[in-house]
Amino acid sequence: MPSLSPMDRFVNLIGGEQNLPPQLLPTPPAPAAGESPDVNDELSKLPSVEAVITEDALLQRAQAHNASLSASVREVVYPSIQPQFTPDIAQQPTFQTVNADLSIDPRRDEAAPLGISLTPFGAVTKFCYKFVKSEYQQPLATLLWDSNKIYQRNWDLWYVWSDLAPSAKPVIFVPESQVASLIDDCNRAYPNAKVGITDELRDEGMVVNFDSRRNDLRPKWLGNCTSRDQHDHWIANLPLPLQVKSPMAADRDLEGFKRHIEQALELGKAKRSAKIHRSQQAAMQRKQSASKQVLRAQRYLGLIAKKDEDDLMPDMAGLSIAAIDPSKPPPYPLDMDAIFISIDCEAYEKWPKVVTEVGVATLDTRDLQGNAPGSVGQNWHKHIRGRHFRIIEHKHLVNKEYCPGDPTAFEYGKSEFVGKDNIASALTGCFHEPFSKKQPDDSYTVTTKDANAVEEKRNIILLGHDINADIEFCKAIGFHPLNRGNMLDVLDSADLFRAYTKAVNPSSLGNVCYHFDLSAWHAHNAGNDAMHTVWALLAIAVKDASERGSEDVAKKHEENFAQKMEEAVELAKERVKSDAEGWGVHDDDDGGVAVAPREEDFASKKAKAKNPAFGPPRPPSPSASGGLYTSGGAPLDV
């Protein structure tokens, strides 16, 4: 077979003569010495006017065709949807015109203040694609989300990155108030879209607060962000979270913290997974547990009758229970003859493991016999006995920054100074007879143990506001409140209030008292907080019992239920409609012009393939490096 010439091989390599470049015009001879170059010969190298006009016309026709094609597609998928308001952010360029300030904020790592509600930023960046009516998703995305517009708003970024809730990257939160501003812009632009955060989304973690968490479990400040570059740069420069060997937080406190982070990660994903369903089931169990706490508290206070398991008339269980009259004594026996003991601990804000104060409040249900509670239990307050212990070695440690308190402002008696070696014994005495009973001189009865005396075993109900944290603080000072045989029950006023109001997030003790118009002064004094926790218990139990069977309350519950059902049905319809939309185009459409591939269109896929999600980059292949490596990059000695 004859060998091919170099030119033939080149033609075969490029796929045929049709792929040869156009022939160049012949090069004019160089001018002789002393002669000027011919201007006409230089101009002849440029394209003709007709060629320029023809090329420009073809380009304009292609652009017009693409524009008409886009308009026709919009007509089919999003008919006659025009914004009625254009926010300022939508009028800005879709690219950053100036370099963003990438310097690290000197306030970085400050704990989030109390009272702030936050929303996962990952959920915000995908909000219009997941939680908006299908016909408004793309219009809103074009107006406020696409081309990094969502990052060009004014965002206060807070982050959580803790070894107690491991995640590949920090979880970013933004204030709910700033998300509300974004939603307002959506509804002003498209009023019929009715964008909002539903109760269902709140229950799934779209709005959370960390008020009930310790300082080290609350989000930390990252910075005020107005660009994607700032967001990405600051996250990339965060140090890895420190490993926590022995966390002080209570099990339930940690579970709540992990649940917040897990929900935030799920909401930030493109699609919701089965974990959300499991989270909803767990939330349902927590709600039922809190509702049962309310009923048990009412039973202990004589506000509801105990169900007799041997009742010969089982049909009576289906009858509605009448509301109580709070101006009269409890209508039912006070079940279990119990004593409520509320406990509250204050720790130093800069060293959370150092307990500075312990408050104890005691309410003996025997003192309530024959006494009317009042509208929110205020008539029973006089029977509560309060004590305030201050640890001598820590009396100079006063909280001023995050949770300001005043250990000198105990309002229900005199503070008692106890050494850290004796605080456990002092607290143990509060759980035995005479249960902190006061004497006329305002001192407390202290009994000495008599070998022949038999102490009456009374049923104790431990009470607290976010009780798990206080139990852990008690253990840290050597007192184990649950380690006693007559401990009947444990109630949490934070859970009781959630059950009463049907709220998604827990409320602070101050907000609970404010809800019932109770003047709870000098919060974060352990003695005062212990007293106010008993107030909260009484107010919730009495108010709920007095509203039992109320037509107004039942009507409100029915309206809320009907609204949620309507929203759920509408959401299901939108999902079905979304699945069916977007496929059709005009019958006379031929598919449009060909779209040539660009390197940047596939950059993300290539980058993902080259850069693993975790760990250092892999070394070159063995053939290139001359050796083998483990998955972590270490040389393999073979």
Side-chain angles (χ1 to χ4, degrees), residues 238-251:
L238 280 174
L240 292 173
L242 297 177
Q243 185 175 3
V244 181
K245 296 182 179 179
S246 56
M248 277 287 296
D251 291 343

Side-chain angles (χ1 to χ4, degrees), residues 236-310:
N237 284 275
L238 280 174
L240 292 173
L242 297 177
Q243 185 175 3
V244 181
K245 296 182 179 179
S246 56
M248 277 287 296
D251 291 343
R252 192 172 65 175
D253 195 31
L254 280 179
E255 289 176 3
F257 173 72
K258 292 177 180 179
R259 184 172 65 254
H260 289 331
I261 304 307
E262 200 173 87
Q263 289 177 329
L265 293 172
E266 286 296 328
L267 288 170
K269 293 181 179 179
K271 294 182 180 179
R272 289 189 270 188
S273 68
K275 287 186 178 180
I276 291 295
H277 177 70
R278 293 195 295 270
S279 177
Q280 291 174 342
Q281 293 297 321
M284 180 66 71
Q285 293 177 0
R286 290 191 298 271
K287 293 174 184 176
Q288 293 178 353
S289 174
S291 298
K292 290 182 178 180
Q293 284 191 50
V294 175
L295 294 175
R296 294 202 303 273
Q298 292 174 341
R299 214 175 64 216
Y300 302 141
L301 296 170
L303 305 176
I304 190 175
K306 181 179 180 180
K307 180 181 177 182
D308 190 351
E309 296 180 356
D310 299 326

Side-chain angles (χ1 to χ4, degrees), residues 205-440:
M206 184 63 76
V207 178
V208 296
N209 67 59
F210 292 78
D211 286 359
S212 59
R213 311 299 172 208
R214 293 184 340 223
N215 280 358
D216 58 334
L217 295 184
R218 292 212 295 271
K220 298 178 181 178
W221 175 252
L222 183 59
N224 182 264
C225 173
T226 57
S227 75
R228 179 66 180 267
D229 290 343
Q230 284 178 319
H231 174 274
D232 294 349
H233 180 77
W234 290 343
I235 291 178
N237 284 275
L238 280 174
L240 292 173
L242 297 177
Q243 185 175 3
V244 181
K245 296 182 179 179
S246 56
M248 277 287 296
D251 291 343
R252 192 172 65 175
D253 195 31
L254 280 179
E255 289 176 3
F257 173 72
K258 292 177 180 179
R259 184 172 65 254
H260 289 331
I261 304 307
E262 200 173 87
Q263 289 177 329
L265 293 172
E266 286 296 328
L267 288 170
K269 293 181 179 179
K271 294 182 180 179
R272 289 189 270 188
S273 68
K275 287 186 178 180
I276 291 295
H277 177 70
R278 293 195 295 270
S279 177
Q280 291 174 342
Q281 293 297 321
M284 180 66 71
Q285 293 177 0
R286 290 191 298 271
K287 293 174 184 176
Q288 293 178 353
S289 174
S291 298
K292 290 182 178 180
Q293 284 191 50
V294 175
L295 294 175
R296 294 202 303 273
Q298 292 174 341
R299 214 175 64 216
Y300 302 141
L301 296 170
L303 305 176
I304 190 175
K306 181 179 180 180
K307 180 181 177 182
D308 190 351
E309 296 180 356
D310 299 326
D311 197 341
L312 299 178
M313 299 178 64
D315 292 341
M316 292 293 292
L319 298 178
S320 60
I321 305 173
I324 68 156
D325 183 352
S327 64
K328 297 180 180 180
Y332 305 103
L334 280 68
D335 187 37
M336 305 306 294
D337 187 33
I339 291 180
F340 290 94
I341 300 182
S342 169
I343 196 162
D344 182 86
C345 299
E346 294 294 325
Y348 187 48
E349 57 193 0
K350 295 183 180 179
W351 304 326
K353 295 184 180 181
V354 177
V355 177
T356 58
E357 309 170 52
V358 182
V360 179
T362 307
L363 177 64
D364 190 339
T365 57
R366 290 180 181 177
D367 297 332
L368 308 182
Q369 294 282 359
N371 295 323
S375 59
V376 291
Q378 71 274 17
N379 295 344
W380 286 347
H381 290 182
K382 61 186 177 182
H383 300 293
I384 306 173
R385 305 191 285 267
R387 301 183 72 172
H388 180 224
F389 298 100
R390 295 184 61 185
I391 298 178
I392 296 175
E393 292 85 350
H394 303 153
K395 66 180 182 179
H396 61 289
L397 303 176
V398 180
N399 294 333
K400 298 179 180 179
E401 297 182 18
Y402 304 122
C403 296
D406 187 354
T408 65
F410 181 50
E411 296 192 334
Y412 307 99
K414 297 179 180 179
S415 298
E416 305 170 56
F417 287 90
V418 182
K420 62 181 181 180
D421 294 333
N422 299 321
I423 182 64
S425 298
L427 294 176
T428 299
C430 297
F431 283 72
H432 291 275
E433 289 184 337
F435 297 102
S436 301
K437 187 175 181 179
K438 280 189 177 182
Q439 295 297 314

Side-chain angles (χ1 to χ4, degrees), residues 541-615:
V542 173
K543 195 68 174 176
D544 180 76
S546 63
E547 294 174 345
R548 189 183 297 133
S550 169
E551 293 183 0
D552 292 338
V553 174
K555 183 178 179 181
K556 184 177 180 180
H557 289 170
E558 290 176 359
E559 291 175 352
N560 291 339
F561 178 76
Q563 181 181 357
K564 292 180 180 179
M565 286 292 293
E566 183 179 349
E567 292 174 354
V569 171
E570 186 65 25
L571 181 61
K573 290 181 179 179
E574 289 173 6
R575 288 174 179 170
V576 174
K577 184 179 179 181
S578 176
D579 291 341
E581 284 181 339
W583 296 103
V585 293
H586 286 308
D587 294 338
D588 58 351
D589 196 343
D590 64 353
V593 297
V595 180
R598 300 178 303 173
E599 188 71 24
E600 54 267 28
D601 293 337
F602 302 91
S604 59
K605 294 181 181 180
K606 294 176 66 176
K608 184 176 181 180
K610 287 185 177 181
N611 299 323
F614 303 98

